Amino acid sequence: MFTKKETHFVVLNDLDEARAAIQRALNDAIGSDTAAGLRQALDIVDGIGDGRDPRVRWAAQVLAEAELDAREQEIKAIKALREALPGLGLAAAVDLIRQTQAAT
């Protein structure tokens, strides 16, 4: 049973497959005009999986877009998360803010 204290996200992550496909294309494109673009795409994919919890990445993105600091504007940050994800409970939003603060 789900409670409002829990934060539920469905994270779809096919980065490994995407990375492998780009790497194959890059291997086939060595010396061509598209190699530089494929190399850049590979760098982008590698940068996405930065090791942080996807929920924390999402919260940090929401706060960045709202130009809020999780430490200095905690109440506004909690409100921003709850507005960005209707149905997000207060306890879950507070937990996400605390995790975001710890990650920075």
Side-chain angles (χ1 to χ4, degrees):
M1 187 70 155
F2 297 126
T3 67
K4 289 273 188 174
K5 291 184 178 183
E6 299 172 9
T7 307
H8 301 281
F9 285 85
V10 176
V11 178
L12 303 176
N13 188 345
D14 290 332
L15 290 179
D16 292 336
E17 292 177 30
R19 188 185 191 295
I22 294 170
Q23 185 64 57
R24 283 192 302 273
L26 178 60
N27 292 342
D28 293 342
I30 296 296
S32 74
D33 293 337
T34 59
L38 288 168
R39 200 168 296 111
Q40 184 178 15
L42 193 58
D43 290 343
I44 291 169
V45 170
D46 286 342
I48 291 173
D50 61 2
R52 288 189 302 167
D53 183 331
R55 296 172 302 156
V56 173
R57 280 200 318 260
W58 171 81
Q61 179 182 350
V62 169
L63 298 178
E65 290 171 2
E67 298 179 355
L68 293 170
D69 185 300
R71 294 185 191 281
E72 295 179 18
Q73 300 168 298
E74 189 171 292
I75 303 300
K76 288 182 181 181
I78 291 166
K79 183 178 185 231
L81 293 185
R82 294 187 75 199
E83 287 175 352
L85 184 62
L88 180 65
L90 178 60
V94 169
D95 184 52
L96 268 175
I97 291 298
R98 299 276 158 77
Q99 290 177 34
T100 303
Q101 290 169 340
T104 57

